Amino acid sequence: MKLEIWDKCHQALEKEISAEEYKIWILPLQAKLISDVNLILFAPNNFVIDVVKKRFLSNISHIIDKLSDNIISVELQVGSIKKSNTDVKLDHSSARKKTLNTASKFSSDSSESKFNRSGTFTSVSQNVASSINSSKSSESVDNRFKKYQSALNKEMSFDTFVEGKCNMLARAASLQIVETISEGSSNNNYNPFLIYGGVGLGKTHLIHALGNIIMSDNPDSKVIYLHSERFVQEMITALQNKTIDQFKNFYRSVDVLLIDDIQFFSGKERTQEEIFHTFNALLEGQKQIIMTCDTYPKEVSGLEDRLKSRFGWGLTVSIDLPDTETRVAILLSKAAQANIDLPQDVAFFIAQRIRSNVRELEGALRRVIATACFQGKKISVEFAKLALHDLIALQDKQVSIENIQKIVAEYYKIRVADLHSKRRTRSVARPRQIAMSLAKHLTSHSLPEIGDAFGGRDHTTVLYACRKIQELRSEEVIVEEDYTNLHRQLTS
Amino acid sequence: MKNQLPLSLQAAEHASFDNFIAGENQQLIFSLLNENEQLIVVWGDEGTGKTHLLQALSSQYQANGLNALYIPLQIDDDFSPELLGGLEMMDLVCLDDIHTISGHQEWEMALFHFFNKIRENNGRLILAANNSALNLDIQLPDLKSRLSWGLTYQTQKLSDKDKINLLKLRAHKRGFEMTDEVANYLLKHAARELSALIKLLEKLDYESLAKQRKLTIPFIKSFL
């Protein structure tokens, strides 16, 4: 239900504050009168609440005062008003969104009627809080497991995982683990199991597929999937709420623990300590641990050595860049999932043009499908060429390592040969590090490839250069300036 | 002599799809309006309509009672990555100017995690930047690759003819008619950038009301 007083308040506010501020901060607020004297404004998060309080609350209160005979108190809360009470499920926000999305197809005529007079509303804040803070809430441990399991994306299964040379070993080892767990065998050499590889190559897909299949094979076992970030957040909350013991017990009691992107534990010492103990407890109890990481774990900086060594106890496998044939197979599989008839020659064309990672490949496919949908045309190679012309132009324009070396050498007035040379004087070493760092960020070449291009240096040298430059950019203005100038020169 | 001050001093026009001339951006608009497109990345030069489109979409959602938010990212004391906290519960989040956070570790990290969460929640995320994902100076490779995941469009500049159409449309929305001649004159002599032109239009509207003069070329000349 639209609230008249809030509508009027909108109109008045619009005159008092800048249009920009009005759009950003006022429009997202949803108002609800909970009694004659109490108006609640729901905001998406605490940050918005703080801004609104600081900048506009006195205006709002003032306007509401003038508009009403009663004295109305205005309160801000994190949350939102649901559109109706029939198509809303509170626990599963994803389910809720799907229903909402299908229910409201942008026809303004239906939206008004969808507001129920008694319009139920829930405070989203409770939802958020309970997911982070569930050890405090009264829900059962069982529910808690379910929550983690629902984070597993059902669409990421082994059926949709395209096998290629690049991931054959990782896939085979995964299936082996599934079998071992199902057999209940304690003789497991693959524990912990760690999948590593660059971004967008399918690590997350594989770990979700593992979670899904283990869960369906062993419905009673406690399978937990989470992103490393969530682990960190939960631990912080548990520390704040003094529920760290429950937190520890919970993680040490699972049967299978799947953690995505462990490189984000880097630099977080307290979390690492907790992970270390959780690890020990689980390994001792012969519970399976499965992880992904974006680099070879020994090379993640900011991870404790004892943790790195534990990570390497079981099996560590890599996922590499897919070759053209695998990219074609991936495209065909993705298209089939979207119910799109993608001719093989088109898949081949896209696969040849987009070579960096699977995400980019998917982005390109999306563009082709959206264009076909928009123009109502059949997908052919010619069509794909046109639909992707700007993406392809970008790819073609993508800078090469040679180009980076040339520009950097010119910028620092040194010779390209200096960048290749073994010399380590500052005047050459710093530009070389900057060039390596730019090469890492602007090209899709791997660390060893970049090392090769700089006079056959080791990939760890490149890694070190990237980290050094990142560090220096925040410490030394001149490095930041040089880097930004060069980046601009190379990308504009 | 004091001029008569017109009442609606600001009457700021809200961005909508009605007061936008699509030009070569039709497919982008088509995709923005397709709610199944969960992730769209829009990039392009200033003055090509990115902000307008993001705001238009966000207010369309809001008008339909859905939870939507448009935020231009900027790095200052008032804005911190906490801004993104909890927003994954929304139906639509439009983040503008994401190039401003590139190179800022905390922000990149926050955007990365936010990206994952809103995806998990099936919310829509629309991002805009002044450069393509490939060429943004983003340090976190995980974030960079996610940006190239979405449906990507480069916003296209309007042709002069479309700019003239836009000026006339905006004038009409403000309650006065602008001739081709006047629109042409503004384009040739006043500003080329669309945002500057629109601002000028608003000023001219105000001035002509205040001075009770018609919007003619001599009047514009005297104003410029």
Side-chain angles (χ1 to χ4, degrees), chain A residues 97-110:
Chain A
K97 289 232 174 78
K98 274 185 188 144
T99 351
L100 272 184
N101 280 345
T102 43
S104 58
K105 287 263 182 215
F106 283 129
S107 48
S108 50
D109 50 346
S110 69

Side-chain angles (χ1 to χ4, degrees), chain A residues 33-44:
Chain A
L33 260 181
I34 54 165
S35 72
D36 288 347
V37 292
N38 215 337
L39 178 79
I40 294 196
L41 296 178
F42 287 101

